[in-house]
């Protein structure tokens, strides 16, 4: 008889094949600031929005990784800050029986894709609760961002190998 947990799902380690599992999704950090309230609500200028997106990965064990998707959205009205919303949405993901390259791809693409809807919802709710019109984060192409990261890594590696192979100058 196969081993099952309380919700009827066969654990990934029981099938001995490659597995990708979502172990836990949670909010790691949330912050909302509106330093110029309530006077900022009377400002009649076009808002200037600045979005900062980041991702952190931490290995928790041989098969578990924490991925944190962070978003900071800053809205300025003229020279005044209307609000700053910061969200760090995290998840613990199980990755078993996979090659290191496949793990890297999943951590850089699938995991942030899974976390993004949670971040989008939290940011929108925070801004609206602060008295501002809701802001909806547009979809993000994490596959494209990952490809760009790979390209940058390759350029850095090539730059390092060129520096190592250059002959020393004459003194």
């Amino acid at each position: 008889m196969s081993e099952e947990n309380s919700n009827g799902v066969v654990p990934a380690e029981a099938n001995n094949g490659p597995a990708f599992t979502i172990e836990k999704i949670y909010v790691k950090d949330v912050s909302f600031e509106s330093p110029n309230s309530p006077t900022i609500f009377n400002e009649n200028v076009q808002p200037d929005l600045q979005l900062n997106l980041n991702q952190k990965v931490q290995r928790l064990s041989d098969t578990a990784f924490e991925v944190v998707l962070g978003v900071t959205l800053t809205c300025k009205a003229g020279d005044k800050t209307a609000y700053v919303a910061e969200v760090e949405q995290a998840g613990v993901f199980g990755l078993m029986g996979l090659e290191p390259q496949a793990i890297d791809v999943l951590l850089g693409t699938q995991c942030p894709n899974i976390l993004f809807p949670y971040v989008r919802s939290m940011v929108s709710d925070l801004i609206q609760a602060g008295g501002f019109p809701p802001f909806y984060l547009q979809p993000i192409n994490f596959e494209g961002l990952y490809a760009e990261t790979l390209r940058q890594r390759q350029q850095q590696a090539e730059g390092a190998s060129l520096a190592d192979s250059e002959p020393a100058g004459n003194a």
Side-chain angles (χ1 to χ4, degrees), residues 86-149:
E86 297 175 299
V87 174
E88 285 190 350
Q89 185 72 44
V92 175
F93 299 91
L95 297 147
M96 295 159 275
L98 297 162
E99 295 293 323
Q101 177 60 30
I103 290 172
D104 193 55
V105 170
L106 287 170
L107 292 172
T109 60
Q110 280 302 113
C111 295
N113 271 319
I114 290 167
L115 297 172
F116 185 73
Y118 296 94
V119 169
R120 177 189 296 161
S121 177
M122 182 70 69
V123 167
S124 180
D125 291 350
L126 284 170
I127 292 168
Q128 200 165 6
F132 297 93
F135 177 82
Y136 300 107
L137 288 171
Q138 296 303 305
I140 295 175
N141 180 352
F142 289 103
E143 289 79 9
L145 291 175
Y146 178 76
E148 177 63 21
T149 299

Side-chain angles (χ1 to χ4, degrees), residues 2 4 24 29 32 47 52-53 55 58 68 86 99 113-114 125 135 140 145:
S2 69
E4 293 186 6
K24 174 81 76 189
D29 190 18
F32 181 83
N52 183 1
L53 178 74
Q55 178 183 339
Q58 178 182 351
V68 179
E86 297 175 299
E99 295 293 323
N113 271 319
I114 290 167
D125 291 350
F135 177 82
I140 295 175
L145 291 175

Side-chain angles (χ1 to χ4, degrees), residues 2-170:
S2 69
E3 186 180 330
E4 293 186 6
N5 64 16
S6 61
N7 62 6
V9 176
V10 177
E13 59 272 7
N15 69 17
N16 294 329
F20 173 78
T21 59
I22 301 170
E23 302 298 326
K24 174 81 76 189
I25 293 180
Y26 53 97
V27 174
K28 190 153 183 115
D29 190 18
V30 174
S31 172
F32 181 83
E33 300 171 33
S34 183
N36 293 297
S37 294
T39 58
I40 197 72
F41 297 126
N42 296 326
E43 295 288 326
N44 194 14
V45 296
Q46 181 68 27
D48 178 32
L49 294 166
Q50 180 181 15
L51 177 70
N52 183 1
L53 178 74
N54 65 68
Q55 178 183 339
K56 296 178 266 186
V57 176
Q58 178 182 351
R59 180 183 284 270
L60 303 175
S61 70
D62 288 343
T63 60
F65 297 82
E66 178 191 52
V67 177
V68 179
L69 182 61
V71 169
T72 301
L73 182 63
T74 304
C75 177
K76 293 197 176 242
D79 61 343
K80 296 179 184 172
T81 299
Y83 62 80
V84 179
E86 297 175 299
V87 174
E88 285 190 350
Q89 185 72 44
V92 175
F93 299 91
L95 297 147
M96 295 159 275
L98 297 162
E99 295 293 323
Q101 177 60 30
I103 290 172
D104 193 55
V105 170
L106 287 170
L107 292 172
T109 60
Q110 280 302 113
C111 295
N113 271 319
I114 290 167
L115 297 172
F116 185 73
Y118 296 94
V119 169
R120 177 189 296 161
S121 177
M122 182 70 69
V123 167
S124 180
D125 291 350
L126 284 170
I127 292 168
Q128 200 165 6
F132 297 93
F135 177 82
Y136 300 107
L137 288 171
Q138 296 303 305
I140 295 175
N141 180 352
F142 289 103
E143 289 79 9
L145 291 175
Y146 178 76
E148 177 63 21
T149 299
L150 286 181
R151 189 184 66 70
Q152 289 174 358
R153 283 184 200 164
Q154 186 177 16
Q155 283 181 339
Q156 288 173 351
E158 288 171 359
S161 66
L162 283 176
D164 292 341
S165 65
E166 289 181 7
N170 294 336

